[in-house]
């Protein structure tokens, strides 16, 4: 990271940023005010370089400075300068915002694709169902009268074999045989593999 360039002569007097951040960790509001003044510009610069959007950059900068106040106790002077730690927080928060925005855009695109596809799929399913019904009707017309009546009563009206036999006034064995033969012919006509 580049060093800050000072245009005015002497460096400012008073505690350095590392000491101020240690005091902020203890809840010193005056120290935070000084830290804020010192890091606000660099934080905004880092965030703006990642986000490019001025309004979002200001929002993320504010989030970083609030996080700085809340997490100052995590700062360890032995691990590096306070400014580096602060700018790392800023960069991470900005990258998180970019990833979050990308994830939201991806979710919206996926929802739009699924929303559009759902209507298309419903139409396809309706057409396929209608074609299947027509094919079943055509195949039912190929059955003998007793086969068609037996299959229709059993599968479309939900009657048991015994009830079909009583309704058609034929022996139960005849109904079972006709239904078996009718279902085999339907299977073959519809092209269903056993």
């Amino acid at each position: 990271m580049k060093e800050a360039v000072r245009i005015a002569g002497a460096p400012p007097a008073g505690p350095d940023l590392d000491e101020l951040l240690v005091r902020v960790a203890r809840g010193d509001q005056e120290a935070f005010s000084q830290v804020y003044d010192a890091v606000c510009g660099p934080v905004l610069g880092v965030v703006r370089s990642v986000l490019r959007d001025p309004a979002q950059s200001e929002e993320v900068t504010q989030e970083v400075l609030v996080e700085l106040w809340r997490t100052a106790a995590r700062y360890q002077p032995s691990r590096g300068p306070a400014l580096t730690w602060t700018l790392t927080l800023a960069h991470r928060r900005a990258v998180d915002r970019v990833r979050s925005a990308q994830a939201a855009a991806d979710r919206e695109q996926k929802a739009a694709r699924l929303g559009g596809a759902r209507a298309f799929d419903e139409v396809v399913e309706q057409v396929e169902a209608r074609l299947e019904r027509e094919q079943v009707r055509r195949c039912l017309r190929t059955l003998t009268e007793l086969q068609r009546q037996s299959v229709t009563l059993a599968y479309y009206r939900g009657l048991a074999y015994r009830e079909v036999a009583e309704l058609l006034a034929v022996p139960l064995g005849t109904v079972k045989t006709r239904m078996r033969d009718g279902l085999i012919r339907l299977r073959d006509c519809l092209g269903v593999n056993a």
Side-chain angles (χ1 to χ4, degrees):
M1 180 143 279
K2 295 181 180 177
E3 297 265 340
V5 178
R6 298 197 189 275
I7 299 193
D16 69 358
L17 200 53
D18 295 349
E19 292 172 22
L20 287 172
L21 206 51
V22 170
R23 286 177 35 202
V24 169
R26 287 184 249 154
D28 186 337
Q29 291 181 2
E30 178 58 36
F32 180 72
S33 177
Q34 292 176 25
V35 169
Y36 182 95
D37 292 340
V39 301
C40 186
V43 166
L44 180 60
V46 167
V47 171
R48 184 97 186 255
S49 71
V50 174
L51 293 178
R52 306 265 187 245
D53 179 356
Q56 279 197 28
S57 297
E58 290 173 3
E59 186 178 320
V60 170
T61 297
Q62 182 178 1
E63 291 172 8
V64 169
L65 293 169
V66 169
E67 183 179 359
L68 186 65
W69 169 257
R70 287 188 6 248
T71 63
R74 292 186 192 160
Y75 170 64
Q76 298 173 3
S78 62
R79 296 189 67 189
L83 184 60
T84 303
W85 184 72
T86 303
L87 295 180
T88 301
L89 288 176
H91 186 264
R92 286 180 183 161
R93 180 62 65 105
V95 169
D96 286 347
R97 176 65 65 98
V98 169
R99 288 179 180 156
S100 175
Q102 184 61 48
D106 291 347
R107 280 191 304 274
E108 288 176 12
Q109 286 177 351
K110 184 177 180 182
R113 282 193 310 266
L114 291 177
R118 204 172 286 128
F120 176 74
D121 287 344
E122 289 174 11
V123 171
V124 168
E125 288 176 18
Q126 290 173 357
V127 169
E128 287 176 351
R130 187 177 60 205
L131 291 173
E132 287 174 1
R133 283 192 302 272
E134 290 173 9
Q135 186 177 11
V136 168
R137 283 188 197 113
R138 183 178 47 78
C139 289
L140 278 171
R141 286 192 296 268
T142 66
L143 303 179
T144 67
E145 185 62 29
L146 186 57
Q147 289 172 336
R148 182 175 38 257
Q149 288 175 337
S150 299
V151 169
T152 303
L153 290 171
Y155 286 95
Y156 290 105
R157 295 215 9 223
L159 300 179
Y161 288 168
R162 183 183 44 74
E163 294 170 321
V164 171
E166 289 173 5
L167 192 61
L168 296 177
V170 293
L172 179 61
T174 302
V175 168
K176 287 182 178 181
T177 302
R178 297 299 178 248
M179 284 191 60
R180 186 195 72 225
D181 292 344
L183 291 174
I184 290 171
R185 287 179 71 181
L186 279 175
R187 181 191 69 200
D188 293 342
C189 180
L190 293 171
V192 176
N193 293 327

